Amino acid sequence: MDLNDIRGGRLDVISEESEQQDFSRESSTMEAYTVVPEPAGRTFQRFSVNTNESLRFEPCEDSCPSPTGAEDGRDDVFEKGECEGEITSTRNQLLGKVAEMENFAGHLEEIFLTVEENFGRQEQHLEQHYNDVLQTLSQRYDDRETGLQEEKKGKLESLYNQLVACGQALDTSKELIETAQEVYRCQDKRLFLKTVMPVVKRVEEFAKEDVDLSLSTSLEFITPLADLSDVKTMMDSINIVPAPSAPVINPQLPNSATQTSLHVCWSLFSDDTVEYYELYYRPVLEDTPADGTCAPQESKVKVKETHCTVTELLPNAQYELWVTATNTTGISPASEKALYMTVPSPPVIKQRECSSCPEAALIRWESGNTNPVDSYTVELSETGTVGTENSITESIVAVPTCQCLIQLQAGRQYLISVRAVNIGGPSDRSDAITISTTGTFFYLLEDTAHPCLSMSEDGFTIFYGDEELPITAMAFEDNTFTRCVAILGDLIPVRGRHYWEVEVDDETEFRVGVAYEDTERDAYLGANGSSWCMRHIRTPSRHKYEFLHNGWSPDLRITVHPVRIGVALDYDRGTLSFFNANMEQHLHTFHCHFHNYVHPCFSLDNPGALTVHNGIQAPDYTFI
């Protein structure tokens, strides 16, 4: 479409918009309806629209007849809400039209500047051609003048030599004539006979010489036809479309990609005529040899626009792109290569490493992408009582690592998912997980477990088998307990109140409590200053309970064996309390200001099982 067509279409739109604006302007100067009060005593208001399109409502002081003459004005009076809605809609339409006209004016200004720039470049182009033609003609003139001078010099030298030869012949003839005359005048016959023969002989020899009396050179100059083919080519090139210059690929714009596609744009900084473009692309592999022997195969797309969407690509992959322009004259040089990236694959939330409490949740995930991503976005939405998702959604953006601590409201249930983000845009959502803030929820840290411990499939029950393993068969890691058959829990690092319960039978000897993350792995729980625990010992006569810290326990006796033990941790008060959950009975409380975050700890001192119950609401009696 040419500029005239654009102008025609746009001017029609401008004319139509101007009529609408005039109509709006006329309407805005009118004061609207004034109505009488209704029988019920409600007073209608009159309104006027200023030229700045703001609304001003004024109460009617005097009752006037309805403009329609009807007694009941309810059929002829706009309701206040309807009037406001109509005016707002009209105002929005006008604002949209004004914005459209401003955009069109800006577009016209850009076209005007582009025409000026193109004219300047074309004028420069013609001037350059003119100077080139003049320079070529001047060179031809100088070459022709030099040739003529050399030809003139040759002709004059030839004529001069011939003139000298004629002069010498004339001198010789003159001398022979004078000698012959002298011999002829001689009176002495004897002397005459003696000298006449040599003279006759010289005359005969001179007569035998052939004297060339024709001109040795032509008087005409050779006039060769001037070779102006290159000048003609230069003149013709003014009307020939030149080959395009190299395009320039624009940098990748945010949100311009998907997992399998890229939207690429480029520009031409000239008014070159282009019939089509060819976009080349190939993936950038980290292990590609420097010599390029195993370089990935490049692909090509042919388009007519200065943009293209490339599909069927790899997720979270870098691609190298370059483009050429082609017209009837030839192909432009290739643009400089640009790097674009597709959107990453969705992350994978590691549910076994997520934990929560009534005030927050700690979400961990793995990227699942070979190339690094710029950041992550965590999205959460609150679900209703029946598990339906509410419309309120919150996003936490620019998360730099693969974990995020989220502040939540207590007693709610949330669906949480994660997106990976790079320059191309955000990935699809990961599979969502459900987080409940009813109570504290955590999993056990398998990498801390003693080799004799085994875990249930759900990860909340630990077993200590009857069969003893030899020391050589135990695989100890740096983080595993080596002396105490114990395991740590992954409690969320949030200060506040946390509660969980432990279920054991009366034959199992155990230790339950809390410990710092760096507690000694070759010591028993409660035997050092970095762990606090409740210990159960089975004796032939009774159940013995100890509350250990630094190897010391107060002298307490518990008469009823607790099958389900409640553990309440209060960071603010600096307390760790134990309860018989079935009887709601307080057993013991440690008082300590925890300087660092602690982890739940569980140990079995003899074969048996222990089950952890978490994610439950703390009973009212635990934090009194």
Side-chain angles (χ1 to χ4, degrees):
M1 180 182 294
D2 60 8
L3 182 60
N4 293 328
D5 295 337
I6 295 177
R7 287 177 175 170
R10 290 291 186 177
L11 290 176
D12 293 340
V13 174
I14 292 175
S15 176
E16 183 179 352
E17 292 171 350
S18 300
E19 293 177 1
Q20 293 181 2
Q21 288 185 342
D22 293 337
F23 175 77
S24 300
R25 219 175 274 118
E26 293 174 2
S27 299
S28 65
T29 59
M30 298 174 57
E31 276 197 1
Y33 309 100
T34 304
V35 299
V36 298
E38 285 197 51
R42 290 185 301 168
T43 302
F44 285 92
Q45 295 175 336
R46 68 184 180 189
F47 65 92
S48 61
V49 183
N50 295 329
T51 54
N52 60 358
E53 299 182 346
S54 63
L55 296 179
R56 183 176 71 252
F57 293 89
E58 301 173 355
C60 287
E61 298 177 356
D62 301 327
S63 61
C64 300
S66 172
T68 60
E71 293 295 334
D72 189 359
R74 284 178 293 179
D75 296 336
D76 302 322
V77 178
F78 291 109
E79 293 292 340
K80 179 180 178 181
E82 294 179 357
C83 292
E84 290 180 351
E86 284 188 21
I87 293 173
T88 302
S89 175
T90 304
R91 179 186 179 186
N92 292 336
Q93 291 179 1
L94 290 175
L95 289 176
K97 294 292 185 181
V98 170
E100 185 178 354
M101 293 174 64
E102 289 178 349
N103 292 336
F104 179 63
H107 181 63
L108 287 179
E109 185 177 359
E110 290 179 359
I111 293 176
F112 178 79
L113 295 176
T114 303
V115 169
E116 281 194 338
E117 291 176 0
N118 292 343
F119 173 77
R121 282 196 293 267
Q122 190 67 22
E123 187 178 25
Q124 269 187 336
H125 182 66
L126 290 174
E127 185 176 359
Q128 182 65 35
H129 272 281
Y130 174 76
N131 292 334
D132 292 343
V133 170
L134 284 184
Q135 184 177 0
T136 304
L137 289 176
S138 176
Q139 184 66 33
R140 294 290 183 275
Y141 173 81
D142 293 341
D143 295 343
R144 181 61 182 147
E145 183 182 22
T146 302
L148 288 174
Q149 291 290 344
E150 291 179 354
E151 186 178 1
K152 171 186 173 183
K153 181 180 177 182
K155 289 181 178 296
L156 291 177
E157 288 179 353
S158 177
L159 291 174
Y160 177 75
N161 293 334
Q162 190 174 11
L163 182 61
V164 170
C166 289
Q168 291 175 352
L170 288 175
D171 291 341
T172 303
S173 299
K174 183 177 180 182
E175 180 185 358
L176 289 175
I177 291 172
E178 290 177 352
T179 303
Q181 287 179 351
E182 288 178 0
V183 172
Y184 177 74
R185 292 191 188 99
C186 182
Q187 299 296 327
D188 188 356
K189 294 181 180 181
R190 188 174 53 181
L191 181 61
F192 174 79
L193 293 175
K194 183 178 178 180
T195 58
V196 71
M197 294 307 297
V199 173
V200 172
K201 188 175 181 180
R202 286 181 60 193
V203 171
E204 289 178 354
E205 289 177 358
F206 179 76
K208 290 179 180 180
E209 292 180 3
D210 188 8
V211 179
D212 187 8
L213 300 179
S214 61
L215 293 176
S216 60
T217 182
S218 173
L219 299 180
E220 301 295 333
F221 284 85
I222 300 174
T223 310
L225 296 176
D227 183 11
L228 300 178
S229 57
D230 51 352
V231 177
K232 185 176 183 301
T233 301
M234 294 173 64
M235 295 298 294
D236 293 340
S237 66
I238 298 178
N239 299 321
I240 294 177
V241 177
S245 56
V248 177
I249 293 186
N250 300 338
Q252 184 175 10
L253 297 175
N255 303 319
S256 61
T258 66
Q259 276 189 278
T260 58
S261 67
L262 288 171
H263 187 69
V264 187
C265 300
W266 57 88
S267 307
L268 269 181
F269 292 102
S270 66
D271 55 347
D272 296 336
T273 301
V274 178
E275 291 192 358
Y276 61 88
Y277 300 91
E278 288 182 323
L279 176 66
Y280 298 84
Y281 61 94
R282 64 186 176 195
V284 178
L285 304 179
E286 294 182 357
D287 54 352
T288 303
D291 56 2
T293 54
C294 299
Q297 184 178 2
E298 64 184 42
S299 303
K300 179 176 67 173
V301 179
K302 183 177 178 181
V303 294
K304 291 184 176 295
E305 299 82 11
T306 56
H307 58 87
C308 176
T309 300
V310 185
T311 58
E312 299 182 0
L313 305 178
L314 300 174
N316 195 43
Q318 277 191 335
Y319 279 84
E320 193 176 43
L321 303 105
W322 64 98
V323 65
T324 62
T326 304
N327 61 14
T328 55
T329 304
I331 304 175
S332 73
S335 67
E336 292 187 2
K337 292 180 173 63
L339 290 179
Y340 275 51
M341 284 196 69
T342 53
V343 166
S345 300
V348 179
I349 297 179
K350 298 187 284 189
Q351 190 163 0
R352 284 292 184 96
E353 298 184 18
C354 296
S355 55
S356 63
C357 67
E359 294 83 18
L362 178 62
I363 308 300
R364 294 187 176 100
W365 60 87
E366 57 185 11
S367 173
N369 296 282
T370 55
N371 289 322
V373 300
D374 295 341
S375 63
Y376 298 91
T377 299
V378 180
E379 298 179 346
L380 61 148
S381 58
E382 186 179 342
T383 60
T385 57
V386 295
T388 57
E389 183 178 349
N390 290 344
S391 58
I392 301 176
T393 300
E394 182 180 352
S395 297
I396 303 172
V397 299
V399 179
T401 60
C402 289
Q403 69 175 28
C404 181
L405 185 63
I406 310 169
Q407 300 298 322
L408 302 175
Q409 297 182 12
R412 307 293 178 87
Q413 196 171 28
Y414 297 88
L415 284 177
I416 298 180
S417 58
V418 183
R419 296 177 187 264
V421 182
N422 64 9
I423 183 63
S427 70
D428 295 336
R429 288 190 182 96
S430 66
D431 292 336
I433 64 169
T434 302
I435 294 294
S436 174
T437 57
T438 304
T440 296
F441 180 86
F442 59 87
Y443 283 94
L444 301 180
L445 296 172
E446 297 185 39
D447 61 332
T448 64
H450 189 278
C452 290
L453 284 180
S454 59
M455 296 180 60
S456 62
E457 185 176 351
D458 62 3
F460 295 110
T461 301
I462 58 175
F463 304 94
Y464 183 8
D466 296 332
E467 184 178 351
E468 290 288 342
L469 293 175
I471 298 296
T472 56
M474 297 183 184
F476 293 103
E477 302 293 340
D478 294 337
N479 203 30
T480 59
F481 284 93
T482 58
R483 187 173 184 182
C484 183
V485 184
I487 189 172
L488 295 181
D490 187 20
L491 186 65
I492 184 171
V494 173
R495 293 188 176 272
R497 294 176 174 180
H498 303 280
Y499 178 80
W500 62 93
E501 295 179 355
V502 179
E503 184 178 355
V504 290
D505 57 39
D506 56 358
E507 298 297 327
T508 303
E509 296 183 352
F510 62 86
R511 300 171 191 244
V512 296
V514 298
Y516 287 132
E517 184 178 8
D518 59 352
T519 188
E520 299 174 15
R521 298 300 195 258
D522 59 349
Y524 287 101
L525 296 177
N528 50 41
S530 59
S531 59
W532 299 257
C533 73
M534 171 185 175
R535 180 187 181 190
H536 170 237
I537 305 171
R538 182 75 170 90
T539 65
S541 59
R542 67 184 179 91
H543 296 278
K544 182 180 179 181
Y545 293 91
E546 296 177 341
F547 296 90
L548 296 169
H549 176 62
N550 260 332
W552 180 86
S553 172
D555 187 10
L556 296 175
R557 181 174 292 236
I558 298 174
T559 57
V560 179
H561 171 69
V563 177
R564 194 174 179 113
I565 302 166
V567 183
L569 171 65
D570 191 336
Y571 277 105
D572 298 331
R573 291 185 179 180
T575 60
L576 175 67
S577 302
F578 297 88
F579 300 88
N580 185 334
N582 291 335
M583 298 180 62
E584 300 183 2
Q585 179 187 15
H586 174 257
L587 301 178
H588 180 68
T589 296
F590 288 103
H591 293 274
C592 178
H593 293 288
F594 301 103
H595 300 292
N596 299 316
Y597 293 109
V598 295
H599 290 269
C601 57
F602 312 91
S603 172
L604 294 174
D605 293 341
N606 71 336
L610 180 150
T611 301
V612 179
H613 299 277
N614 58 22
I616 56 180
Q617 186 174 1
D620 295 336
Y621 59 83
T622 55
F623 295 107
I624 297 177

